[in-house]
Structures are given as C-alpha cells and as structure tokens.
Amino acid sequence: MIQYDYLIVGSGLFGATFAHLAQKRGMRCLVIDKRPHIGGNIYCEEIEGINVHKYGAHIFHTSDKEVWDFVNSIVPFNRYTNCPVAQAPNGKLYNLPFNMNTFYQMWGVKTPEEAESKLEEQRRDAIEKMRADGISEPRNLEEQALTLIGKDIYEQLIKGYTEKQWGRKCTELPAFIIRRLPVRMTFDNNYFNDSYQGIPIGGYNKLIDGLLDGIDVMTNTDFFSDRKYWESIADKIVFTGKIDEFYDYCFGKLEYRTVRFETELLDTPNYQGNAVVNYTSSKVPFTRIIEHKYFESFGNSVYETPKTIISREYSTEWKDGMEPFYPVNDSKNQNIYEKYRLLAETESKVIFGGRLAEYKYYDMAPIIAQVLTLFK
Ligand code: FAD
Ligand code: UDP
C-alpha cells in the first residue's frame, strides 16, 4: 500500500538533502538507513566535547554560492581552512598542497621564478619520455604526477601515499585523482582553491539533523532485508546505496577502498599541532593522522580542552561487512559500472544518486549541487 511519495534509501548527504527539498515541496518522504545513525559518512560522534569524524575527516569546500548559502541556511559554518602537513620518507615535514612553501622546503628555492625553473628541470625527463612515446595526455597517475610536479615531489610526497591509499601502483591509477590537488606558485597552504570552506558550527550532525527535521526516518533498516515491502510503500525510490547490490551483482562486484580508523583519546591537549598530518612513506602503515579538535577550535583555543582525540587511518581493500568509501575508478571497474548505469537508465521508478549509486568520487558540495539541480 502506497504511503509515501518517496522512499529514500540512505540518510547520507544525498538522501538527506533530497528528503529536505522534497518535503519542502509537500511530498511525503520516508528515509531508511541500515546504519544505526543518520548522516552516512559525515556522521560525527561526540567524545569528551570533541566532534569525532567517525568516517574520516570531512571539510566542506565549494565555490558555488548557492550550495554554500543552502548549507548555511541549515546551520552556520565556521571558517576552517585545511592546511595539511606531510611527513615524508626523508623524515622532513612539508606543507601541502604543492606550493612555494613546499618548493622552499624541498629545494631551498625562494622565488616563483626559481621554483618554476626547478620544476621545469624536474618535469623534463617525464615530458620528453611522453613525447618520445608519442603520447599527448598522461595515461595514468604516475605520468600525470611526473609531468605536473616532477620527480622529487612525486617520490617524497605522492608515490608512497597514493599507493597506500589505493592499494594499487600509480601506473595503474587514473590521472584525475592527482589533479584534485592544487599546484601553486604562491606561499599559500590552503588545500582547496574554493571561495568557501568550513565545518558546521557544532558539527556535521547539526547539518543532517536540520536537513531531516520533521521527516520520517528509520535507522538499522536495510532496504534489501525486505525489498518487496519497501518497494511497495512509495511511488518512487531514491537509492543511494551500492548500485551493484541493487542489481544483485548481475554484472559482477564493483571494487571499493575503505579505511580502518584507529582512534585514541590522549591525555594531552595538543598532539600534532594540526588537524591533518599525512605520512607519505610506504614504510608507515597508515596514511594520515587526524586530530579532530582542530576542525572546530582555532589557535591556542585547542588548550581549552585538556584532552585530544586522534585517528590513524589505514587504507584497505573493501570486503563485505566493511563500509565502502572510495570507488576505484580504474578501467576494469568503470566498464562494470557502465553496464549497471545503462540498466539504471531504464528504471522509471528509481532515482540513483550519491557516491555509491553513481560509483563516483564525489565531494560533499557537488552532491548538494546535484540535488538542488534535480529540484529545479
Ligand atoms: P553516504 O554518506 O555513503 O550515504 C549513503 C547512506 O546509504 C549510508 O548511510 C548507508 O548506510 C546507506 N545505505 C547504503 N545501502 C543501504 C541499504 N541497502 N539500506 C539502507 N541504507 C543503505 N567530501 C568533502 O567534500 N570533503 C572531505 O573532506 C571529504 N572527506 C572524505 C573522507 C572520507 C574518508 C570519505 C569516505 C569521504 C569523504 N568525502 C569528503 C566525501 C563525502 O563523504 C561524500 O561526498 C558524501 O558523504 C556522500 O554522500 P552520499 O549520501 O552519497 O553517501
Ligand atoms: N595525495 C598524495 N599525497 C598526499 C595527499 C594526497 O599523493 O599527501 C594524492 C593521493 O593520490 C590522493 C589524491 O592526492 O588520492 C587526492 O587527495 P585528496 O586529499 O583530495 O584525497 P581524499 O582523501 O580527499 O580522497
């Protein structure tokens, strides 16, 4: 018996934003989620007064004013600027993203002109090799990194980190992954180029609670536990789970990377002096350490709470029972996904959206932009 206009499978950012906008237009929505809480991967757990990003550090960034105004209409955001630091295999610390500070730390160059000439020298071999092979575009992440930023930075800051994060060789990964990182000829450690950046004041749960305010929600509820029933109660379904699971893996299983978090409460107010420290050596088993209090306390205000919470992130291949985080957009998986996507196009009753259903490495802001567009 139809009771809802929309059954929304998944209370992550896609599902919650969709439910919010649908409800505003007078539609009846039910949101179900198989996890014990709402919010998907942006969910935080409060420990000792600190919002712990339970599924990995989340920093909201966008240049889309409409998206920024929309999220701020739900909850005001602070101005957190992400400036990660990397500890390299040579034992030194470097600023990220790749900017004049990094170039100074790596080569001692002090002006953009000196840095440009060093970069040119660093890139030369890779560019000449590509020319000799008759290739105009980098075919993989290694070629992209070497032609973009050169050998030293690739070896100290990219190769080890990337191969740990993805569990695959840089030569087997798509070039676009590394193009996410800015390269700047200025002394500017801001990890993102976007105009707006921040964290919801009071944490991400406030954003999700605001989006789902007044909407029927059921947690600990898996769509596949009683698929026929869930399909029968709504006119339409918004599905934000795994697309291969929706089709019973008929074209094979898509691969994902996931992260195991080792979270520790420490009896010190300030462990690493920054929210994010990456460990780019292949010899260190984790990729980075997050110190959660830094997302919402600035400068010496970190000393206002006597303890701190850190998470070491260990990147691993996804297996059943784990949370699928990162789609592996290599050609093998893209080909499988394409078959599911074509099948999904034939559905009239189901809208597929979000990181898992679209098998896409989406950040938060593009997810919101996409839902806003759907409603226009
Ligand atoms: P999800 O948040 O995964 O939500 C999907 C929901 O569907 C989940 O709650 C899941 O439990 C539920 N579900 C799945 N299957 C079923 C089922 N069968 N029945 C019921 N419920 C189901 N973005 C940024 O902009 N900045 C960042 O700094 C950033 N950092 C990130 C760090 C990590 C480690 C990860 C993994 C992602 C990061 N992202 C970041 C991306 C961000 O998390 C996503 O863009 C966003 O959360 C995607 O929302 P979603 O709704 O598509 O997916
Ligand atoms: N990356 C790297 N060294 C670093 C940080 C990032 O080589 O210290 C690479 C890595 O391949 C990663 C990509 O840059 O997958 C994009 O980084 P980003 O921080 O955007 O990844 P996220 O963790 O947000 O998925």
Side-chain angles (χ1 to χ4, degrees):
M1 187 191 45
I2 302 283
Q3 300 161 35
Y4 292 98
D5 296 302
Y6 286 104
L7 169 77
I8 297 158
V9 182
S11 64
L13 211 46
F14 191 100
T17 308
F18 191 99
H20 180 83
L21 295 176
Q23 179 185 250
K24 266 188 149 174
R25 282 157 183 76
M27 294 166 196
R28 294 160 304 158
C29 299
L30 170 65
V31 179
I32 61 170
D33 203 298
K34 64 180 180 183
R35 296 189 199 180
H37 57 75
I38 55 174
N41 291 338
I42 68 172
Y43 172 74
C44 294
E45 192 170 32
E46 199 198 300
I47 305 173
E48 296 273 337
I50 299 166
N51 286 315
V52 176
H53 295 212
K54 191 142 163 72
Y55 300 96
H58 276 74
I59 299 121
F60 198 97
H61 57 98
T62 184
S63 289
D64 186 333
K65 188 165 184 311
E66 193 187 356
V67 167
W68 185 244
D69 288 345
F70 173 76
V71 291
N72 276 274
S73 74
I74 309 290
V75 52
F77 276 54
N78 69 20
R79 172 66 206 204
Y80 168 80
T81 302
N82 197 31
C83 299
V85 169
Q87 184 156 156
N90 64 13
K92 291 191 186 161
L93 285 178
Y94 294 92
N95 288 113
L96 293 173
F98 312 124
N99 74 90
M100 282 301 297
N101 288 307
T102 329
F103 307 143
Y104 172 68
Q105 291 149 351
M106 187 69 69
W107 302 308
V109 291
K110 293 183 181 150
T111 64
E113 196 180 339
E114 284 171 26
E116 283 287 9
S117 115
K118 190 73 193 171
L119 278 170
E120 207 167 294
E121 173 195 315
Q122 287 275 316
R123 294 171 181 138
R124 194 171 303 140
D125 285 353
I127 291 174
E128 279 171 9
K129 188 172 180 308
M130 271 183 57
R131 272 202 203 115
D133 293 347
I135 303 157
S136 57
E137 288 295 316
R139 289 166 299 185
N140 55 55
L141 195 149
E142 179 170 288
E143 282 179 3
Q144 177 67 78
L146 287 171
T147 51
L148 187 74
I149 201 78
K151 188 167 165 290
D152 288 353
I153 290 184
Y154 174 64
E155 283 172 2
Q156 287 301 323
L157 300 177
I158 298 176
K159 190 171 190 295
Y161 187 92
T162 300
E163 294 189 346
K164 275 193 290 188
Q165 177 169 358
W166 294 99
R168 284 156 181 79
K169 294 211 172 324
C170 288
T171 47
E172 291 160 12
L173 288 165
F176 80 85
I177 292 179
I178 201 67
R179 290 200 296 264
R180 283 168 62 90
L181 299 190
V183 177
R184 269 192 217 120
M185 303 314 291
T186 52
F187 290 94
D188 179 358
N189 298 327
N190 183 350
Y191 201 56
F192 303 114
N193 281 329
D194 287 319
S195 326
Y196 310 104
Q197 184 174 168
I199 308 285
I201 295 172
Y204 281 97
N205 294 359
K206 293 223 181 253
L207 175 62
I208 288 291
D209 289 346
L211 288 170
L212 291 178
D213 189 24
I215 293 166
D216 292 351
V217 177
M218 293 170 70
T219 49
N220 289 312
T221 306
D222 191 331
F223 175 72
F224 297 111
S225 65
D226 195 352
R227 182 174 183 156
K228 282 217 153 58
Y229 169 73
W230 295 116
E231 283 175 341
S232 75
I233 65 164
D235 262 342
K236 288 207 167 193
I237 294 172
V238 175
F239 186 78
T240 74
K242 289 165 66 228
I243 191 164
D244 53 351
E245 190 175 13
F246 187 89
Y247 287 115
D248 211 11
Y249 306 105
C250 64
F251 298 125
K253 274 194 170 182
L254 290 165
E255 292 174 304
Y256 295 87
R257 293 293 288 172
T258 192
V259 180
R260 180 172 65 81
F261 301 99
E262 200 176 81
T263 297
E264 252 186 283
L265 173 65
L266 301 176
D267 217 357
T268 172
N270 186 9
Y271 173 72
Q272 61 182 12
N274 201 24
V276 184
V277 179
N278 291 358
Y279 288 78
T280 56
S281 163
S282 60
K283 299 215 168 72
V284 178
F286 44 86
T287 49
R288 58 186 188 181
I289 300 183
I290 304 300
E291 187 163 4
H292 298 268
K293 60 164 44 173
Y294 274 93
F295 295 118
E296 292 178 70
S297 30
F298 300 96
N300 280 337
S301 71
V302 293
Y303 287 93
E304 285 166 13
T305 41
K307 297 187 181 181
T308 196
I309 296 175
I310 60 162
S311 297
R312 289 184 193 83
E313 297 190 356
Y314 297 83
S315 187
T316 57
E317 203 66 15
W318 173 84
K319 292 195 188 72
D320 281 329
M322 297 171 164
E323 290 300 344
F325 281 163
Y326 297 101
V328 181
N329 296 111
D330 58 11
S331 51
K332 174 182 139 199
N333 285 289
Q334 267 325 108
N335 289 338
I336 299 176
Y337 169 66
E338 196 49 29
K339 293 184 188 163
Y340 287 119
R341 193 186 64 77
L342 290 174
L343 204 52
E345 268 185 7
T346 65
E347 302 282 348
S348 55
K349 203 186 147 153
V350 189
I351 297 169
F352 294 86
R355 253 200 189 195
L356 301 175
E358 293 180 67
Y359 199 63
K360 197 167 168 194
Y361 193 16
Y362 273 125
D363 277 331
M364 292 180 275
I367 294 260
I368 291 188
Q370 202 191 0
V371 184
L372 289 174
T373 307
L374 269 178
F375 277 86
K376 272 182 190 160

